[in-house]
Short mmCIF file of all heavy atoms in Angstrom, two decimals:
data_model
loop_
_atom_site.label_atom_id
_atom_site.label_comp_id
_atom_site.label_asym_id
_atom_site.label_seq_id
_atom_site.Cartn_x
_atom_site.Cartn_y
_atom_site.Cartn_z
N GLU A 1 20.06 5.15 1.31
CA GLU A 1 19.12 4.22 1.93
C GLU A 1 17.80 4.58 1.73
O GLU A 1 16.90 3.69 1.39
CB GLU A 1 19.46 4.15 3.48
CG GLU A 1 18.70 3.12 3.99
CD GLU A 1 19.16 3.04 5.58
OE1 GLU A 1 20.17 3.66 5.99
OE2 GLU A 1 18.48 2.39 6.35
N ARG A 2 17.46 5.92 1.61
CA ARG A 2 16.11 6.34 1.32
C ARG A 2 15.68 6.05 -0.08
O ARG A 2 14.57 5.63 -0.25
CB ARG A 2 15.96 7.84 1.59
CG ARG A 2 15.88 8.35 3.01
CD ARG A 2 15.33 9.74 3.11
NE ARG A 2 16.17 10.67 2.33
CZ ARG A 2 17.26 11.29 2.80
NH1 ARG A 2 17.52 11.19 4.17
NH2 ARG A 2 17.80 12.25 2.14
N ALA A 3 16.53 6.11 -1.01
CA ALA A 3 16.31 5.72 -2.29
C ALA A 3 15.99 4.10 -2.44
O ALA A 3 15.15 3.75 -3.21
CB ALA A 3 17.59 6.05 -3.23
N ARG A 4 16.72 3.36 -1.59
CA ARG A 4 16.46 1.96 -1.68
C ARG A 4 15.07 1.55 -1.12
O ARG A 4 14.40 0.64 -1.50
CB ARG A 4 17.65 1.24 -1.01
CG ARG A 4 18.92 1.10 -1.80
CD ARG A 4 19.82 0.08 -1.08
NE ARG A 4 20.10 0.44 0.23
CZ ARG A 4 21.20 1.12 0.61
NH1 ARG A 4 21.99 1.67 -0.34
NH2 ARG A 4 21.34 1.20 1.82
N THR A 5 14.71 2.16 0.02
CA THR A 5 13.42 1.93 0.66
C THR A 5 12.32 2.46 0.06
O THR A 5 11.08 2.07 0.29
CB THR A 5 13.58 2.42 2.15
OG1 THR A 5 13.75 3.67 2.28
CG2 THR A 5 14.73 1.56 2.89
N LEU A 6 12.41 3.49 -0.71
CA LEU A 6 11.24 4.18 -1.32
C LEU A 6 10.48 3.26 -2.22
O LEU A 6 9.18 3.24 -2.03
CB LEU A 6 11.70 5.35 -2.20
CG LEU A 6 10.62 6.11 -2.92
CD1 LEU A 6 9.58 6.78 -1.82
CD2 LEU A 6 11.14 7.39 -3.82
N PRO A 7 10.94 2.41 -3.06
CA PRO A 7 10.10 1.54 -3.87
C PRO A 7 9.39 0.61 -3.03
O PRO A 7 8.28 0.21 -3.28
CB PRO A 7 11.21 0.79 -4.82
CG PRO A 7 12.29 1.70 -4.96
CD PRO A 7 12.36 2.33 -3.57
N VAL A 8 10.00 0.07 -1.93
CA VAL A 8 9.33 -0.78 -1.02
C VAL A 8 8.14 -0.24 -0.41
O VAL A 8 7.03 -0.85 -0.32
CB VAL A 8 10.33 -1.30 -0.02
CG1 VAL A 8 9.59 -2.20 1.05
CG2 VAL A 8 11.43 -2.16 -0.68
N ARG A 9 8.30 0.98 0.05
CA ARG A 9 7.14 1.80 0.70
C ARG A 9 6.09 2.01 -0.25
O ARG A 9 4.90 1.92 -0.04
CB ARG A 9 7.85 3.04 1.39
CG ARG A 9 8.42 2.84 2.52
CD ARG A 9 8.79 4.19 3.31
NE ARG A 9 9.91 4.87 2.60
CZ ARG A 9 10.27 6.06 2.75
NH1 ARG A 9 9.85 6.71 3.85
NH2 ARG A 9 11.26 6.55 2.12
N LEU A 10 6.38 2.27 -1.59
CA LEU A 10 5.36 2.62 -2.45
C LEU A 10 4.68 1.39 -2.84
O LEU A 10 3.44 1.36 -3.06
CB LEU A 10 6.10 3.11 -3.94
CG LEU A 10 6.73 4.46 -3.74
CD1 LEU A 10 7.35 4.81 -5.00
CD2 LEU A 10 5.63 5.49 -3.56
N VAL A 11 5.30 0.16 -2.85
CA VAL A 11 4.59 -1.19 -3.05
C VAL A 11 3.67 -1.46 -1.97
O VAL A 11 2.56 -1.73 -2.17
CB VAL A 11 5.65 -2.25 -3.33
CG1 VAL A 11 5.04 -3.62 -3.20
CG2 VAL A 11 6.45 -2.11 -4.61
N ARG A 12 4.15 -1.09 -0.70
CA ARG A 12 3.19 -1.33 0.41
C ARG A 12 2.10 -0.53 0.35
O ARG A 12 1.03 -0.95 0.70
CB ARG A 12 4.11 -1.19 1.73
CG ARG A 12 5.20 -2.20 2.04
CD ARG A 12 5.96 -1.94 3.28
NE ARG A 12 6.96 -2.91 3.58
CZ ARG A 12 7.91 -2.88 4.46
NH1 ARG A 12 8.00 -1.63 5.13
NH2 ARG A 12 8.82 -3.77 4.70
N TRP A 13 2.36 0.74 0.09
CA TRP A 13 1.18 1.67 0.01
C TRP A 13 0.17 1.16 -1.16
O TRP A 13 -1.05 1.32 -0.96
CB TRP A 13 1.58 3.15 -0.25
CG TRP A 13 1.99 3.82 0.99
CD1 TRP A 13 3.20 4.21 1.45
CD2 TRP A 13 1.10 4.26 2.06
NE1 TRP A 13 3.23 4.81 2.70
CE2 TRP A 13 1.90 5.03 3.06
CE3 TRP A 13 -0.32 4.34 2.14
CZ2 TRP A 13 1.29 5.51 4.16
CZ3 TRP A 13 -0.76 4.89 3.33
CH2 TRP A 13 -0.07 5.38 4.32
N GLY A 14 0.76 0.92 -2.28
CA GLY A 14 -0.06 0.40 -3.33
C GLY A 14 -0.87 -0.78 -2.92
O GLY A 14 -2.14 -0.85 -3.16
N LEU A 15 -0.28 -1.83 -2.24
CA LEU A 15 -0.97 -3.01 -1.79
C LEU A 15 -2.13 -2.60 -0.70
O LEU A 15 -3.23 -3.15 -0.77
CB LEU A 15 -0.04 -3.99 -1.18
CG LEU A 15 0.81 -4.73 -2.12
CD1 LEU A 15 1.91 -5.70 -1.44
CD2 LEU A 15 0.10 -5.63 -3.09
N ALA A 16 -1.72 -1.70 0.03
CA ALA A 16 -2.72 -1.28 1.16
C ALA A 16 -3.97 -0.67 0.50
O ALA A 16 -5.16 -0.91 0.68
CB ALA A 16 -2.21 -0.28 2.13
N ILE A 17 -3.73 0.18 -0.57
CA ILE A 17 -4.92 0.80 -1.29
C ILE A 17 -5.75 -0.18 -1.97
O ILE A 17 -6.87 -0.32 -2.03
CB ILE A 17 -4.33 1.86 -2.26
CG1 ILE A 17 -3.74 2.94 -1.56
CG2 ILE A 17 -5.42 2.39 -3.23
CD1 ILE A 17 -2.94 4.02 -2.38
N VAL A 18 -5.08 -1.24 -2.74
CA VAL A 18 -5.79 -2.25 -3.42
C VAL A 18 -6.62 -3.11 -2.42
O VAL A 18 -7.80 -3.27 -2.70
CB VAL A 18 -4.77 -3.11 -4.16
CG1 VAL A 18 -5.58 -4.39 -4.68
CG2 VAL A 18 -4.15 -2.31 -5.39
N ILE A 19 -5.89 -3.44 -1.24
CA ILE A 19 -6.76 -4.33 -0.36
C ILE A 19 -7.93 -3.47 0.27
O ILE A 19 -9.03 -4.00 0.42
CB ILE A 19 -5.74 -4.67 0.77
CG1 ILE A 19 -4.81 -5.68 0.27
CG2 ILE A 19 -6.57 -5.30 1.96
CD1 ILE A 19 -3.74 -6.13 1.26
N GLY A 20 -7.66 -2.13 0.45
CA GLY A 20 -8.88 -1.24 0.98
C GLY A 20 -9.95 -1.28 0.01
O GLY A 20 -11.16 -1.25 0.30
N LEU A 21 -9.52 -1.01 -1.23
CA LEU A 21 -10.63 -1.03 -2.33
C LEU A 21 -11.43 -2.33 -2.42
O LEU A 21 -12.68 -2.33 -2.61
CB LEU A 21 -10.05 -0.71 -3.61
CG LEU A 21 -9.55 0.76 -3.84
CD1 LEU A 21 -8.85 0.97 -5.24
CD2 LEU A 21 -10.63 1.78 -3.63
N ILE A 22 -10.67 -3.53 -2.22
CA ILE A 22 -11.36 -4.73 -2.24
C ILE A 22 -12.29 -4.99 -1.13
O ILE A 22 -13.46 -5.50 -1.23
CB ILE A 22 -10.35 -5.92 -2.34
CG1 ILE A 22 -9.59 -5.88 -3.71
CG2 ILE A 22 -11.00 -7.24 -2.13
CD1 ILE A 22 -8.44 -6.70 -3.83
N LEU A 23 -11.81 -4.44 0.03
CA LEU A 23 -12.68 -4.66 1.30
C LEU A 23 -13.75 -3.70 1.37
O LEU A 23 -14.77 -3.90 2.14
CB LEU A 23 -11.74 -4.47 2.51
CG LEU A 23 -10.73 -5.75 2.65
CD1 LEU A 23 -9.84 -5.49 3.87
CD2 LEU A 23 -11.36 -7.02 2.77
N LEU A 24 -13.57 -2.52 0.75
CA LEU A 24 -14.69 -1.42 0.96
C LEU A 24 -16.11 -1.95 0.64
O LEU A 24 -17.10 -1.70 1.47
CB LEU A 24 -14.44 -0.19 0.12
CG LEU A 24 -15.32 0.95 0.10
CD1 LEU A 24 -15.21 1.44 1.64
CD2 LEU A 24 -14.85 2.01 -0.94
N PRO A 25 -16.39 -2.69 -0.54
CA PRO A 25 -17.89 -3.17 -0.65
C PRO A 25 -18.32 -4.13 0.50
O PRO A 25 -19.47 -4.00 0.85
CB PRO A 25 -17.63 -3.98 -1.92
CG PRO A 25 -16.42 -3.41 -2.71
CD PRO A 25 -15.51 -3.08 -1.71
N TYR A 26 -17.43 -4.83 1.08
CA TYR A 26 -17.92 -5.69 2.17
C TYR A 26 -18.21 -4.80 3.41
O TYR A 26 -19.16 -5.24 4.09
CB TYR A 26 -16.70 -6.68 2.53
CG TYR A 26 -16.52 -7.71 1.55
CD1 TYR A 26 -15.61 -7.36 0.43
CD2 TYR A 26 -17.00 -8.86 1.44
CE1 TYR A 26 -15.31 -8.35 -0.60
CE2 TYR A 26 -16.87 -9.88 0.44
CZ TYR A 26 -15.99 -9.48 -0.54
OH TYR A 26 -15.78 -10.40 -1.54
N LEU A 27 -17.56 -3.64 3.60
CA LEU A 27 -17.94 -2.82 4.68
C LEU A 27 -19.19 -2.06 4.38
O LEU A 27 -20.03 -1.77 5.32
CB LEU A 27 -16.78 -1.92 4.94
CG LEU A 27 -15.41 -2.56 5.38
CD1 LEU A 27 -14.36 -1.46 5.44
CD2 LEU A 27 -15.52 -3.31 6.62
N LEU A 28 -19.37 -1.76 3.10
CA LEU A 28 -20.51 -0.91 2.79
C LEU A 28 -21.77 -1.72 2.60
O LEU A 28 -22.87 -1.17 2.96
CB LEU A 28 -20.29 -0.17 1.37
CG LEU A 28 -19.25 0.94 1.34
CD1 LEU A 28 -19.06 1.36 -0.10
CD2 LEU A 28 -19.73 2.00 2.21
#
């Protein structure tokens, strides 16, 4: 089960990082 959920969590973390990078200039 951990093996199945790992890709999903990686995708979520990747999306969170991308969104954070996009929003950072607006905050700065």
Side-chain angles (χ1 to χ4, degrees):
E1 187 175 349
R2 286 199 299 269
R4 286 195 300 270
T5 59
L6 181 59
V8 175
R9 283 185 289 176
L10 290 176
V11 169
R12 288 176 178 173
W13 275 107
L15 287 174
I17 291 172
V18 170
I19 292 172
L21 290 175
I22 291 174
L23 292 178
L24 183 60
Y26 293 86
L27 300 175
L28 289 176

